[in-house]
């Protein structure tokens, strides 16, 4: 067991840290969290800076350890999140890189890395959330286009996206997991309607997307027809690997700020609250170690293991506990939407739902990790 | 960063597991419950295997290994529910004659409690003489209570090795529960096919793996706050894990014959050691405020 980094990794860290120190003061002021056009411009501007400095590729071809260092250092320095670029950089991009043709890689990868095009994810449907395989959006082959009809939901950043990684059903008679195809759909195609949805936090983060006979070129299909489920699973396993590493660093910072706030407002004198914060500190220390452990596994075995589901289950719950603790520290101020942490507390409620609910994750752990029989 | 066990560490763990399976398997555990008392022969065998002298330098007759290896050995001891003042004797190796070899059994006055006072050859710490016997909840850990005990700051190594034992209990609880869920049939199918049981088992594993990464990391860093974090999570993984395991076993789990209650009771006893979770949580809260990492 060894938690030390190699000299090359330490050099990467030092170089990145120096670059962040030079670059972050040059950034424009952060836009309001609700202003998505402004956030798109801001997030893509940050991506362009990463590209010019040679860091754009980190998520794609660096070792898991270097990627971990990247996430740790950018978060520690308070650098912007991937934000609007999330799906392109962490999901559609890696999928196209792994499964796309040379022409497809040529067309789509560089604009993602340079921060020129934004992607959204057209996976979930009103009747197909965590049960993704029951999706019903139809695509009918018509010459050299697919004609797509149906609707998608919970589509983050849809109104500012240029492309949508779309899962459609191309063979309605095939078993559920077969008959699905992965398409890159231009968001300005005729027949695409985006209706923003308001979250319980009051913001318009995601949208419903209605598709009415939308023509999508067959050339935009990634992978074979009816092979979309496998194409998707390739990238979903990566999403559950180190995707939350930066967030754990952020939670640790919030927790330290919370302790200082409690110390300042007198709540620190309550031993029950102090111990609760101490327990959260244990939790986030351990989650950071679990990230490192998973990275070690990925380094050894080449792919992130089932540790991703273990991590996601625990982390999503811990994040909610952290923000619930902010309410006990803030007291009445926890009801004021203009105070720090109040919106994050509301947003944290999505963590046990998005990217596979906690219940789905438990079933995955029980069946795939512990080998319990499939059942009802 | 290779936060994985080395081949040597895997071999050590397998070796300890093998010794314990041979000398203290589930049948021996049941027999020990029927006839409580310290098995001196087993104690000496542990001494010969280097359990107590593991971290003692070779120049002083020890094995010369470090905290990560000790953590693996203690995890295995916890997994086997091995009784006896393992921690006291291990910590006394090199200072109390005979402890390293397993010839001398060493108990420790730990706050208001002493484990194994009557069976020990040597008791380390103040106030043991006035300690009053109590009817211990754990049939395999005799306890005495020290009146007017003074709280003291716990040794991070004792905190961490206790956490390692708790991790072993959590691992065992998960193994037992999953094994039972695979084989026990109700309503014409293994109970592990039911989602309610699957989710109990998944939670058992998640708590265990979170505790494991915390315990192993603390053994590498040797940091007091990391040890405190490891203990908080390992206590939870062991005690809640044993409870969930008991639930998976159903009525069988509530019987004296099943091993499950022994896991839970030992987890409770260990949770009171070294200042308990209270002291660890307070230490972590202070670390949070002082900004130490």
């Amino acid at each position: 067991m060894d938690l030390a980094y190699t000299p090359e990794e330490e050099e990467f860290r030092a170089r990145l840290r120096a670059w962040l120190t030079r670059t972050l003061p040059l950034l424009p002021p952060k836009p309001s969290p609700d202003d998505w056009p402004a956030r798109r411009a801001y997030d893509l501007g940050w991506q362009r800076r990463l590209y010019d400095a040679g860091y754009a590729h980190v998520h794609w071809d660096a070792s898991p350890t270097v990627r971990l260092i990247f996430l740790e250092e950018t978060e520690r320095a308070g650098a912007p999140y991937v934000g609007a670029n999330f799906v392109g950089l962490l999901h559609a991009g890696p999928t196209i890189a792994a499964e796309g043709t040379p022409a497809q890689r040529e067309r789509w990868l560089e604009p993602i890395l340079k921060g020129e095009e934004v992607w959204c994810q057209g996976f979930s449907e009103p009747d197909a959330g965590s049960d993704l395989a029951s999706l019903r959006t139809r695509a009918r082959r018509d010459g050299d286009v697919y004609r797509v009809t149906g609707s998608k939901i919970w589509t983050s950043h849809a109104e500012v996206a240029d492309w949508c990684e779309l899962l459609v059903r191309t063979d309605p008679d095939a078993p559920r997991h077969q008959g699905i195809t992965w398409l890159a759909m231009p968001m300005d195609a005729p027949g695409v309607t985006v209706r923003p949805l308001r979250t319980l936090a009051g913001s318009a983060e995601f949208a419903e997307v209605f598709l009415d006979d939308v023509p999508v070129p067959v050339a935009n299909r990634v992978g074979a027809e009816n092979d979309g489920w496998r194409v998707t699973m390739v990238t979903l396993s990566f999403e559950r690997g180190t995707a939350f590493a930066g967030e754990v660093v952020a939670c640790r910072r919030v927790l330290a700020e919370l302790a200082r706030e409690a110390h300042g407002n007198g709540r620190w004198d309550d031993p029950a609250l102090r111990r609760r914060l101490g327990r959260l500190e244990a939790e986030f220390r351990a989650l950071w170690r679990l990230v490192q452990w998973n990275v070690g596994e990925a380094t050894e075995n080449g792919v992130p293991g089932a540790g991703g589901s273990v991590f996601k289950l625990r982390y999503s719950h811990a994040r909610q506990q952290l923000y619930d603790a902010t309410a006990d520290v803030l007291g009445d101020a926890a009801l004021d939407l203009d105070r720090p942490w109040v919106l994050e507390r509301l947003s944290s409620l999505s963590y046990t739902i998005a990217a596979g609910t906690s219940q789905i994750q438990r079933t995955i752990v029980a069946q795939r990790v512990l080998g319990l029989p499939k059942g009802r | 960063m290779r936060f994985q066990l080395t081949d040597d560490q895997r071999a050590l763990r397998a070796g300890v597991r093998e010794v314990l399976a041979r000398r203290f398997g589930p049948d021996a555990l049941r027999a020990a419950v029927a006839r409580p008392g310290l098995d001196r022969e087993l104690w000496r065998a542990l001494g010969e295997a280097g359990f107590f002298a593991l971290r003692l330098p070779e120049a002083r007759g020890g094995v010369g290994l470090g905290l990560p290896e000790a953590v693996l050995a203690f995890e295995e001891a916890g997994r086997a529910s091995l009784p006896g003042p393992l921690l006291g004797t291990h910590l006394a190796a090199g200072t109390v004659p005979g402890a390293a070899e397993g010839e001398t059994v060493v108990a420790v006055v730990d706050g208001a409690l002493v484990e194994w006072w009557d069976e020990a050859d040597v008791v380390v710490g103040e106030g043991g003489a006035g300690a009053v016997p109590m009817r211990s909840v754990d049939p395999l850990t005799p306890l005495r209570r020290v009146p007017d005990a003074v709280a003291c700051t716990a040794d991070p190594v004792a905190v961490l090795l206790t956490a390692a034992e708790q991790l072993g209990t959590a691992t065992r609880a998960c193994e037992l529960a999953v094994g039972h869920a695979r084989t026990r049939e109700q309503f014409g199918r293994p109970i592990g096919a039911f989602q309610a049981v699957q989710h109990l088992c998944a939670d058992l594993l998640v708590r265990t793996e979170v505790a494991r990464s915390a315990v192993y990391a603390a053994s590498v860093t040797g940091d007091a706050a990391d040890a405190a974090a490891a203990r908080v999570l390992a206590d939870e993984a062991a005690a809640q894990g044993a409870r969930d395991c008991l639930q998976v076993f159903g009525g069988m789990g509530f019987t004296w014959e099943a091993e499950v209650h022994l896991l839970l009771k030992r987890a409770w006893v260990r949770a009171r050691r070294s200042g308990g979770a209270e002291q660890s949580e307070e230490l972590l809260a202070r670390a949070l405020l002082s900004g130490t990492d």
Side-chain angles (χ1 to χ4, degrees):
Chain A
M1 280 184 274
D2 182 7
L3 288 163
Y5 295 92
T6 65
E8 294 77 32
E9 288 161 354
E10 287 296 0
E11 197 211 312
F12 173 83
R13 185 193 295 278
R15 208 159 18 94
L16 174 60
R17 199 175 279 187
W19 180 77
L20 287 166
T21 308
R22 280 197 312 276
T23 308
L24 292 183
L26 307 175
L27 291 184
K30 270 190 184 158
S32 144
D34 258 350
D35 185 351
W36 273 101
R39 281 183 71 178
R40 175 189 154 110
Y42 182 85
D43 294 342
L44 293 187
W46 168 242
Q47 182 63 30
R48 179 71 205 204
R49 284 178 195 271
L50 287 172
Y51 180 87
D52 290 341
Y55 291 115
H57 280 267
V58 165
H59 294 293
W60 291 5
D61 50 21
S63 74
T65 309
V66 165
R67 193 168 165 228
L68 183 72
I69 294 170
F70 178 82
L71 291 165
E72 188 182 2
E73 289 300 324
T74 46
E75 181 48 52
R76 268 212 188 127
Y81 287 113
V82 280
N85 215 18
F86 177 83
V87 173
L89 203 58
L90 301 181
H91 208 274
T95 304
I96 294 164
E99 300 285 334
T101 63
Q104 289 171 337
R105 292 204 289 268
E106 175 99 354
R107 167 63 191 87
W108 285 309
L109 296 187
E110 202 69 0
I112 291 173
L113 289 175
K114 278 185 172 164
E116 291 169 353
E117 289 181 344
V118 167
W119 285 68
C120 63
Q121 187 176 64
F123 283 11
S124 294
E125 296 183 7
D127 292 319
S130 286
D131 180 15
L132 187 56
S134 67
L135 65 90
R136 286 207 291 240
T137 291
R138 281 292 319 271
R140 185 171 49 78
R141 183 82 178 255
D142 177 14
D144 52 7
V145 297
Y146 287 102
R147 298 225 159 247
V148 182
T149 299
S151 69
K152 295 288 174 178
I153 197 166
W154 321 130
T155 311
S156 302
H157 327 317
E159 69 272 35
V160 296
D162 305 291
W163 293 94
C164 177
E165 52 163 348
L166 191 71
L167 287 184
V168 294
R169 191 162 293 286
T170 31
D171 182 356
D173 301 322
R176 276 159 33 96
H177 293 83
Q178 298 160 24
I180 293 172
T181 298
W182 198 107
L183 298 177
M185 179 183 75
M187 288 298 283
D188 59 0
V192 178
T193 309
V194 175
R195 189 175 78 88
L197 285 169
R198 213 162 163 219
T199 74
L200 56 72
S203 60
E205 265 180 28
F206 45 42
E208 279 180 288
V209 179
F210 298 99
L211 307 167
D212 180 16
D213 207 30
V214 179
V216 178
V218 172
N220 288 15
R221 185 187 72 216
V222 173
E225 188 170 285
N226 298 332
D227 195 28
W229 185 260
R230 187 194 58 80
V231 173
T232 300
M233 287 306 124
V234 167
T235 38
L236 275 186
S237 67
F238 284 91
E239 190 183 43
R240 283 168 198 162
T242 53
F244 299 99
E247 292 194 16
V248 174
V249 179
C251 283
R252 295 196 65 184
R253 194 185 57 217
V254 167
L255 183 57
E257 287 166 9
L258 189 61
R260 282 194 291 279
E261 172 81 18
H263 196 256
N265 74 13
R267 296 282 286 124
W268 189 256
D269 298 334
D270 173 3
L273 182 92
R274 236 176 18 238
R275 287 185 53 188
R276 190 165 157 207
L277 297 181
R279 183 163 277 267
L280 280 166
E281 171 66 0
E283 185 74 31
F284 284 104
R285 272 177 192 254
L287 283 167
W288 179 247
R289 298 313 187 184
L290 189 56
V291 166
Q292 289 181 313
W293 182 268
N294 286 341
V295 164
E297 292 272 305
T299 306
E300 208 138 291
N301 309 322
V303 286
S309 283
V310 170
F311 176 83
K312 185 188 181 288
L313 262 172
R314 186 79 175 206
Y315 171 68
S316 51
H317 186 60
R319 187 180 175 96
Q320 289 174 0
Q321 287 180 316
L322 168 65
Y323 282 105
D324 276 345
T326 66
D328 281 14
V329 172
L330 288 175
D332 293 342
L335 303 178
D336 179 350
L337 286 170
D338 288 327
R339 289 293 294 252
W341 304 325
V342 180
L343 279 174
E344 286 91 338
R345 184 183 181 209
L346 291 169
S347 300
S348 76
L349 294 168
S350 74
Y351 275 70
T352 46
I353 301 169
T357 65
S358 290
Q359 286 65 38
I360 290 288
Q361 303 292 342
R362 283 193 185 91
T363 301
I364 290 173
V365 168
Q367 293 179 2
R368 295 194 206 152
V369 185
L370 296 174
L372 289 172
K374 289 208 168 188
R376 53 191 173 195
Chain B
M1 187 190 65
R2 289 267 156 179
F3 187 17
Q4 251 59 29
L5 269 60
T6 63
D7 289 343
D8 285 349
Q9 286 168 339
R10 285 181 218 274
L12 174 93
R13 184 175 62 179
V16 177
R17 186 174 293 190
E18 202 254 330
V19 167
L20 290 175
R22 204 174 55 232
R23 311 234 18 168
F24 198 75
D27 291 341
L29 176 63
R30 273 171 234 272
V33 177
R35 284 180 292 98
L38 196 69
D39 181 348
R40 292 271 176 169
E41 209 181 307
L42 175 60
W43 209 254
R44 273 188 290 270
L46 287 172
E48 269 170 41
F51 190 93
F52 302 118
L54 203 62
R55 292 185 306 125
L56 201 60
E58 284 175 86
R60 293 171 61 199
V63 186
L65 292 173
L67 210 43
E69 288 76 20
V71 153
L72 294 173
F74 271 75
E75 181 189 342
E76 287 306 316
R79 188 167 159 273
S81 295
L82 189 66
L86 297 164
L87 185 59
T89 308
H90 177 92
L91 292 175
T95 51
V96 174
E101 296 78 21
E103 296 294 335
T104 311
V105 175
V106 185
V108 183
V109 181
D110 180 7
L113 293 170
V114 199
E115 299 175 17
W116 293 95
W117 194 90
D118 292 286
E119 302 260 4
D121 302 312
V122 175
V123 178
V124 178
E126 304 282 307
V132 189
M134 56 195 253
R135 220 153 64 82
S136 171
V137 67
D138 176 8
L140 289 175
T141 310
L143 289 171
R144 283 187 174 225
R145 197 169 43 79
V146 182
D148 310 318
V150 200
C152 58
T153 307
D155 167 18
V157 173
V159 170
L160 179 59
L161 293 180
T162 297
E165 280 188 82
Q166 296 284 56
L167 173 61
T169 291
T171 304
R172 178 73 184 146
C174 191
E175 287 168 357
L176 277 176
V178 172
H180 187 74
R182 279 207 194 105
T183 49
R184 166 78 172 163
E185 291 201 5
Q186 295 272 269
F187 305 99
R189 58 174 60 203
I191 59 170
F194 293 100
Q195 193 175 64
V197 176
Q198 290 191 345
H199 287 194
L200 274 175
C201 292
D203 284 339
L204 270 160
L205 182 81
V206 169
R207 280 191 300 264
T208 305
E209 292 310 308
V210 171
R212 183 183 312 284
S213 44
V215 169
Y216 288 2
S219 80
V220 174
T221 66
D223 175 73
D226 280 342
R231 96 81 53 86
V232 166
L233 295 165
D235 278 355
E236 184 201 31
Q240 191 58 46
R243 269 177 195 263
D244 285 354
C245 178
L246 199 149
Q247 182 70 22
V248 170
F249 270 76
M252 273 183 253
F254 191 67
T255 65
W256 188 263
E257 282 72 25
E259 181 185 332
V260 190
H261 70 110
L262 299 174
L263 303 185
L264 179 61
K265 291 164 178 175
R266 188 73 57 82
W268 282 351
V269 167
R270 293 194 205 107
R272 295 307 313 159
R273 279 193 205 151
S274 304
E278 294 93 330
Q279 204 178 88
S280 291
E281 286 165 356
E282 288 283 6
L283 188 152
L284 287 160
R286 282 196 303 277
L288 203 46
L289 209 54
S290 66
T292 54
D293 201 4

